[in-house]
Amino acid sequence: MGFVLTNAKIYTCDDLLPLADTLVVEEGHITYVGSSNGWKNTGNLPVHDLGGRTVTPGFVDAHTHPSAVTESLWHIKLPWTTDLEELLQFIREYAQAHPVEEVPFLYFEYYPSTTFADSPPTKELLDSAVSDRPCLCQDFSEHEHWVNSKMLELMEISKETPDPVPGLEMFVRDHDGEPTGLLREGVYRHFIGRMYEKIGWTPPTDLSPERIHTFFRFMTEHGVTALLEALVPNEQILASVSELDRLGELNMYYEGAVRFRNSADLPEAIERLKTYRTKYVGKHIGLNTLKLFLDGTNESGNSAVIAPLCSHGTSDDLGEIGMNVAELTDCLLLSNKECVDVHIHLVGDRAFRVACDAVEAARARLDETGGAWGIQVTLAHCELVDPADMRRPAELGILINWTAHWSGGYFGEGARKHLGDERWNRMYRFNEMAEFGATVAFASDVVTGYELHRAAPLLGMQIAHTRIDPEYPLDPGRYPDSARPSASARISRQLLLTGYTLNGAKQLRLAETMGSLTVGKIANLNVLSGDLFDVDADRIADVTVDTVVFEGNVVAGSLGRS
């Protein structure tokens, strides 16, 4: 069976036919796109008059975290304030109202990254609010954590404890080498099992089909028909995604990425990925990606930069990077040999350059030996890129992935003290890369239930198009209309739609079958309440996804009467 959509404004994301008013779906595939005058109704299919509503391809969220969101549902929400006394009082009162017998471990999120602009947080400071049990506070960047003495004690962390990845996954230490209580890049995850064993409790973080369904249903209702989980934490999530698919409740294509940290553990990560493939890859589930964190965050001051950071004690501090060009080149060559794509987290301009240099070096080495380059390398975030490197993704075939809803004031001015005004003002620029011909895809990168609502692609489109965050606006006294500079970095609606559809499908290697409304492709599409190209810029997020069609079936909303 199938159906006909007509009297619609259909944005196809197909350059050969960008706009149409009629679309026909049969047996889950698109069999006609064009003008109503060019289609003959044989009377066999129901016809739905959309009354001028907009139709787009299904959205692709090309970097997000369903597991992390699900695992976070037990976290405690902090008041949104940089007033340290207010934060400490909230923590103190919550601990008093919920004794250790009721809540053995306190996990609070988030405190703004600018809260400790003058001096970093310490365990002693958090001890003043709660000391009878382990306590962790997560900063808004998701890359730093503030813990109390009890948590360090229960994890058996001391000055002798080595950092898993020095400079990135690490404990910040004082002059004597003692951990201060500030942790970076989720380092606690390596040691928290000891703490859980001692307190005889573990959080309700299982990734069962019932628990992950909340995330996937939200994505479906907001028009997402494919996504990349940018860090698969364990096998349970894959088993649960498979079960949702078996039950007919997944309703999207899922690609998962397995993490590696360096060249030493890359072979094991590849073998783990292969094992997962044999068990879980199917029609809707793919496992073809490795994930690497190359540097930290600009807000934490541990991004890898070309010119020295402004906030550190030495004049030659270029931040932290996980590996050099030579090591990354070797990793890329091994990944290419094993036919596995690589997805790299990076935010600083030096990290961006190192990644580009490594891709260039790997491809050159293959050219010398007669080898073939067959993998895709995607650079995620790319918050600060030197102007000289803007053309390199297109030249090297590198894909770019940007978290659209970060484009305004989501992280405030936390990076300014580390980068300085000039670099801060030219962060988040992607138009130049796209103009040079790079494939730019968009994503939500949500990692907690606190921000799940921001995974809605239409919200990401609005923020990236306006550079204004309606939830976390910049100071309008300093930034007109609370818009992040500069206006030239605002992303066009066309690039946003293409990036959330066809380009996302390209990143996930699905573009041959989806991503545009083209004859022969799978019928993944959305019917919207408004025209993305006509609605006021600050109302894009108000457009609703009325209907979601996945493989020709309505999986959210309805098409109404025919």
Side-chain angles (χ1 to χ4, degrees):
M1 275 298 290
F3 54 82
V4 179
L5 304 180
T6 193
N7 190 19
K9 200 161 190 179
I10 303 171
Y11 293 104
T12 67
C13 293
D14 182 342
D15 289 340
L16 297 179
L17 181 67
L19 196 61
D21 63 34
T22 299
L23 180 146
V24 179
V25 173
E26 297 178 89
E27 302 298 329
H29 288 74
I30 299 167
T31 58
Y32 176 82
V33 184
S35 167
S36 59
N37 296 327
W39 168 72
K40 294 182 180 180
N41 187 355
T42 61
N44 296 326
L45 297 174
V47 179
H48 300 276
D49 186 325
L50 295 186
R53 283 185 294 166
T54 295
V55 177
T56 71
F59 299 138
V60 179
D61 189 330
H63 181 126
T64 191
H65 297 277
S67 296
V69 169
T70 302
E71 290 175 333
S72 76
L73 296 178
W74 61 282
H75 295 173
I76 307 157
K77 183 177 180 180
L78 285 170
W80 185 253
T81 178
T82 58
D83 186 324
L84 182 56
E85 286 306 315
E86 183 179 348
L87 289 171
L88 289 170
Q89 186 60 24
F90 178 88
I91 294 168
R92 186 177 296 112
E93 291 178 356
Y94 189 95
Q96 291 171 352
H98 302 275
V100 64
E101 296 78 15
E102 177 188 340
V103 184
F105 173 37
L106 294 164
Y107 192 125
F108 294 97
E109 62 182 18
Y110 294 101
Y111 63 88
S113 301
T114 53
T115 303
F116 297 96
D118 297 325
S119 60
T122 65
K123 57 182 183 287
E124 291 82 8
L125 191 60
L126 192 52
D127 292 345
S128 70
V130 56
S131 60
D132 64 341
R133 75 197 89 171
C135 180
L136 177 149
C137 299
Q138 183 163 305
D139 99 310
F140 197 56
S141 76
E142 292 280 354
H143 292 265
E144 288 194 345
H145 300 84
W146 171 29
V147 304
N148 66 355
S149 298
K150 179 62 74 172
M151 184 164 176
L152 290 171
E153 173 192 331
L154 292 171
M155 291 194 301
E156 302 175 10
I157 303 303
S158 68
K159 65 187 301 181
E160 284 77 30
T161 305
D163 294 325
V165 183
L168 288 175
E169 288 185 77
M170 59 174 284
F171 298 94
V172 176
R173 303 169 189 268
D174 63 19
H175 293 301
D176 296 323
E178 293 288 348
T180 63
L182 181 60
L183 284 54
R184 289 191 172 141
E185 300 300 334
V187 65
Y188 72 90
R189 295 188 180 96
H190 294 275
F191 307 93
I192 200 166
R194 303 172 183 173
M195 184 190 85
Y196 289 147
E197 184 177 353
K198 289 183 175 67
I199 65 176
W201 178 88
T202 55
T205 57
D206 66 285
L207 298 171
S208 64
E210 295 76 19
R211 295 191 79 237
I212 68 169
H213 185 265
T214 298
F215 177 94
F216 285 98
R217 188 59 196 170
F218 177 92
M219 299 302 253
T220 293
E221 291 174 348
H222 288 81
V224 174
T225 55
L227 62 78
L228 167 72
E229 175 151 28
L231 200 163
V232 173
N234 53 47
E235 192 169 349
Q236 187 186 15
I237 181 64
L238 301 175
S240 294
V241 169
S242 296
E243 179 63 9
L244 285 186
D245 194 29
R246 186 188 70 80
L247 295 171
E249 298 176 3
L250 182 60
N251 297 319
M252 65 182 64
Y253 289 81
Y254 170 98
E255 169 71 20
V258 169
R259 181 178 183 178
F260 74 100
R261 290 176 169 81
N262 48 49
S263 57
D265 75 354
L266 177 57
E268 186 277 330
I270 291 173
E271 289 307 309
R272 184 155 31 102
L273 188 65
K274 290 179 178 179
T275 299
Y276 290 166
R277 279 176 175 173
T278 61
K279 292 183 178 181
Y280 301 109
V281 166
K283 179 181 179 183
H284 299 137
I285 299 173
L287 293 162
N288 190 55
T289 308
L290 293 163
K291 169 73 176 289
L292 170 69
F293 287 88
L294 190 55
D295 66 350
T297 70
N298 288 305
E299 290 74 28
S300 300
N302 62 345
S303 59
V305 291
I306 295 171
L309 293 162
C310 303
S311 57
H312 293 212
T314 61
S315 60
D316 60 350
D317 193 326
L318 303 180
E320 304 290 346
I321 197 160
M323 60 179 74
N324 59 26
V325 173
E327 184 179 3
L328 183 53
T329 299
D330 289 341
C331 290
L332 294 175
L333 287 168
L334 178 57
S335 299
N336 186 72
K337 179 181 178 181
E338 298 291 345
C339 301
V340 182
D341 294 338
V342 180
H343 190 94
I344 304 176
H345 161 112
L346 56 84
V347 299
D349 51 7
R350 181 163 64 98
F352 187 91
R353 182 168 292 177
V354 164
C356 290
D357 288 349
V359 171
E360 186 171 14
R363 299 191 68 159
R365 197 179 304 178
L366 286 171
D367 287 343
E368 293 171 0
T369 60
W373 179 259
I375 63 169
Q376 290 185 167
V377 176
T378 299
L379 306 184
H381 313 320
C382 310
E383 294 181 358
L384 181 67
V385 177
D386 189 90
D389 292 325
M390 286 288 185
R391 64 174 64 246
R392 298 187 74 189
E395 293 173 346
L396 295 168
I398 294 170
L399 287 74
I400 301 297
N401 183 288
W402 169 232
T403 311
H405 74 99
W406 293 355
S407 299
Y410 197 44
F411 296 121
E413 298 180 84
R416 185 187 287 277
K417 71 174 181 177
H418 303 296
L419 299 179
D421 291 349
E422 189 275 332
R423 286 184 290 191
W424 191 86
N425 285 330
R426 61 178 172 85
M427 290 173 69
Y428 307 168
R429 301 191 67 91
F430 299 93
N431 288 323
E432 290 93 334
M433 285 184 273
E435 289 164 2
F436 281 122
T439 297
V440 180
F442 299 109
S444 68
D445 197 17
V446 292
V447 295
T448 175
Y450 184 104
E451 61 176 359
L452 176 57
H453 66 286
R454 294 178 65 93
L458 293 169
L459 176 63
M461 289 186 192
Q462 175 177 311
I463 296 173
H465 184 56
T466 62
R467 305 275 283 192
I468 300 170
D469 194 312
E471 292 187 306
Y472 301 93
L474 295 172
D475 180 0
R478 300 178 59 201
Y479 303 95
D481 299 321
S482 297
R484 185 182 179 112
S486 69
S488 64
R490 294 173 181 169
I491 300 174
S492 73
R493 302 186 200 209
Q494 183 58 63
L495 178 54
L496 284 163
L497 180 58
T498 304
Y500 266 113
T501 56
L502 183 59
N503 288 356
K506 288 178 180 179
Q507 184 194 310
L508 272 58
R509 293 186 176 270
L510 295 170
E512 290 187 4
T513 57
M514 60 175 289
S516 66
L517 301 179
T518 303
V519 171
K521 287 193 174 184
I522 296 168
N524 292 347
L525 59 90
N526 297 322
V527 180
L528 308 182
S529 66
D531 186 344
L532 295 178
F533 291 84
D534 187 51
V535 68
D536 290 344
D538 62 352
R539 302 300 298 274
I540 293 174
D542 294 337
V543 174
T544 59
V545 181
D546 290 345
T547 312
V548 182
V549 174
F550 178 68
E551 296 184 335
N553 298 307
V554 175
V555 294
S558 70
L559 291 172
R561 295 182 179 179
S562 58

